[in-house]
Amino acid sequence: MSSPEAPKPPHGPDLARTQFAVSGPDLVIGGLRVAEIVETVGSPVFIYDADAMRQSYRALAAALDGFAAIHYSVKANPAKGVISLFLAEGAGVEIASLGEYRAARLAGARAEQILFAGPGKRRGELDAVIGEGIGEIHLETVEEIERVSEIATRLGRLVRVSLRINPIAAAQAGAMRMGGKPTAFGFCEEDIDGVLDLVRHAPGIALVGIHVYGGTQILEAAALLNQWQHGIRIAGDIAEKWGGPLETIDLGGGLGIPYYAGEAPLDLNAVAAGLPQLSSQLRSHPLLQAAKVIVEPGRFLAGPGGAYVAEINAVKHSRGTRFVITDGGMHHHLAASGNLGQIIKRDFPVVAASRMDEGALYPATVVGPLCTPLDTLAREALLPELKAGDLIAVLQSGAYGATASPSGFLSHPAAAEVIVEAGTMRSAQL
Ligand SMILES: Cc1ncc(COP(=O)(O)O)c(C=O)c1O
């Protein structure tokens, strides 16, 4: 959070100007007016700015400066064009289903660049990815240990596996969001002796690493560093119990982006400043010296480069509240509606994409076409006078948008998804 004296982090139209561009009344993304994009592909539409996504990747890679390899977490946005642009930057990928595995392969990922995590991997999924020589499988249940071992033996493969760990709360040292609770994700750290025993005796699998994923949307560098430091400590403990070196330490994703008014971006300089200490922690442990550190962010890489655009269908005043009714809603963008696990519903940044030059802004509740009050994209958005046919854009929408939304609800069509770059546009699925 910023101090009271610090300038306010950009939100709404200011964020639109920082993140994208504005020309006269128009929000411009990737060199194209949003209105022009809607004229071509219709509304609603998710617009992904390839350069903005590359910039997020490059900024993170520069801050990490070789400390960790980046694996893009496909669950944030599985559009082929999005995955392929991160692959082209040098990322590996992290997937959580066979569907995401296929999307990553279609986007050009080699099997060995792919990590598979998730608490309920099915036998058929494991069979397919092991058959193709996936890079690593992150084991999370006893059944998975047995299944992977059985499939590997049957297929005559040696599968590289990592253990996903749910850390003990007492050891968290301030990293609030990090494990410690009962969860379906990973093995409890306190049960690890028995798990290592099972792995030791399972044919066809080679334990190469551990994986600790603490939580999502971390905006404070100190909390992130704290979490990573704790992950390295756990890796050391487990390597000692295992009695051998680890090749990989996956510290998870979770790097946040600002959504709500007053939130400042994660300070990458502060993250970079903390890394030498983590490197020496790592290199001073004899069993971790050669380990490759991995981070697997999704939101941080894909989120800021995306906008969700919807057309206004009607504007209505009801008992003192201005309702802006659009053709988009929670069926495309559950996260913006505040129904994707948020405890407090707050507004994503929303702007009037076809009236950016209007100064007089006043509150509006932006809703979608679904027959439920849950279908609200913003509650107190500051927007100009609007009418049917105008466009609104929800910013910070490149991650956990279409892929994390109940698209079947009320049987409206899916939103289009396009990638824009240097004044050109293509389907995000290409
Ligand atoms: C195992 C795992 N890795 C990576 C991610 C990506 O997280 P984020 O988008 O917060 O970076 C998630 C998100 O749920 C996850 O479950």
Side-chain angles (χ1 to χ4, degrees):
M1 275 293 157
S2 52
S3 69
E5 309 81 49
K8 273 195 187 162
H11 198 69
D14 291 340
L15 183 63
R17 281 186 196 91
T18 318
Q19 186 64 47
F20 303 119
V22 170
S23 170
D26 288 305
L27 178 63
V28 176
I29 305 184
L32 290 174
R33 289 185 307 113
V34 163
E36 193 180 335
I37 296 170
V38 169
E39 275 157 30
T40 314
V41 298
S43 149
V45 54
F46 282 94
I47 303 172
Y48 307 131
D49 180 340
D51 278 339
M53 289 193 179
R54 284 190 198 106
Q55 265 171 35
S56 295
Y57 181 92
R58 288 176 193 173
L60 179 60
L64 292 173
D65 193 21
F67 168 75
I70 302 173
H71 279 243
Y72 169 57
S73 185
V74 168
K75 62 176 69 64
N77 188 331
K80 186 181 158 203
V82 170
I83 304 173
S84 65
L85 77 85
F86 292 126
L87 286 170
E89 290 295 306
V93 292
E94 180 264 336
I95 55 106
S97 69
L98 183 57
E100 287 188 356
Y101 176 86
R102 296 260 181 263
R105 296 281 280 140
L106 275 174
R110 298 187 310 279
E112 62 271 22
Q113 287 180 287
I114 303 178
L115 316 176
F116 189 1
K121 306 174 196 77
R122 285 173 294 156
R123 188 180 293 278
E125 296 182 292
L126 290 168
D127 224 287
V129 301
I130 292 171
E132 291 193 18
I134 190 165
E136 254 179 47
I137 297 182
H138 294 184
L139 300 174
E140 310 207 20
T141 61
V142 168
E143 288 85 343
E144 266 177 22
I145 300 176
E146 293 165 355
R147 261 174 225 150
V148 171
S149 172
E150 181 269 306
I151 295 167
T153 311
R154 177 162 42 80
L155 297 179
R157 295 222 173 227
L158 183 62
V159 179
R160 292 165 57 84
V161 299
S162 188
L163 295 178
R164 181 159 173 191
I165 310 294
N166 174 16
I168 298 170
Q172 282 183 44
M176 300 293 288
R177 296 183 178 89
M178 191 163 183
K181 291 176 286 195
T183 104
F185 309 110
F187 295 103
C188 291
E189 194 182 350
E190 58 274 33
D191 298 336
I192 214 63
D193 289 325
V195 173
L196 289 175
D197 231 40
L198 281 177
V199 172
R200 218 181 286 283
H201 294 105
I205 63 179
L207 180 67
V208 297
I210 70 140
H211 175 191
V212 186
Y213 174 79
T216 192
Q217 187 50 11
I218 297 170
L219 283 171
E220 284 150 40
L224 190 70
L225 289 164
N226 203 355
Q227 177 170 304
W228 288 356
Q229 185 183 48
H230 188 49
I232 295 170
R233 210 176 304 135
I234 293 171
D237 291 348
I238 290 179
E240 284 161 31
K241 289 185 175 182
W242 177 245
L246 297 186
E247 285 178 45
T248 60
I249 303 174
D250 185 338
L251 297 174
L255 288 77
I257 61 171
Y259 287 105
Y260 309 123
E263 282 185 338
L266 176 67
D267 181 351
L268 286 180
N269 291 329
V271 173
L275 295 180
Q277 200 193 332
L278 296 193
S279 290
S280 55
Q281 181 193 356
L282 195 68
R283 303 303 160 214
S284 64
H285 195 296
L287 297 177
L288 305 183
Q289 269 165 4
K292 171 182 164 187
V293 177
I294 294 166
V295 291
E296 46 179 36
R299 185 189 311 276
F300 183 88
L301 298 180
Y308 172 65
V309 174
E311 187 174 305
I312 293 163
N313 193 311
V315 178
K316 151 193 295 189
H317 292 82
S318 167
R319 301 187 175 130
T321 296
R322 177 171 60 137
F323 285 91
V324 172
I325 305 170
T326 72
D327 61 1
M330 66 180 262
H331 52 308
H332 299 148
H333 202 341
L334 189 67
S337 76
N339 294 300
L340 188 65
Q342 293 99 326
I343 295 164
I344 303 169
K345 291 184 173 34
R346 288 183 287 174
D347 290 347
F348 273 43
V350 177
V351 296
S354 52
R355 292 184 181 271
M356 297 296 293
D357 54 350
E358 287 183 28
L361 306 180
Y362 65 107
T365 296
V366 181
V367 301
L370 306 191
C371 307
T372 162
L374 297 179
D375 190 18
T376 300
L377 288 173
R379 286 150 196 87
E380 293 176 329
L382 290 176
L383 295 170
E385 199 66 58
L386 292 165
K387 57 178 175 39
D390 285 336
L391 300 174
I392 58 111
V394 184
L395 309 179
Q396 305 292 74
S397 296
Y400 304 110
T403 187
S405 301
S407 56
F409 192 35
L410 261 72
S411 304
H412 286 285
E417 291 180 85
V418 297
I419 295 187
V420 289
E421 183 166 25
T424 64
M425 169 169 51
R426 59 184 184 274
S427 160
Q429 310 307 336
L430 297 176

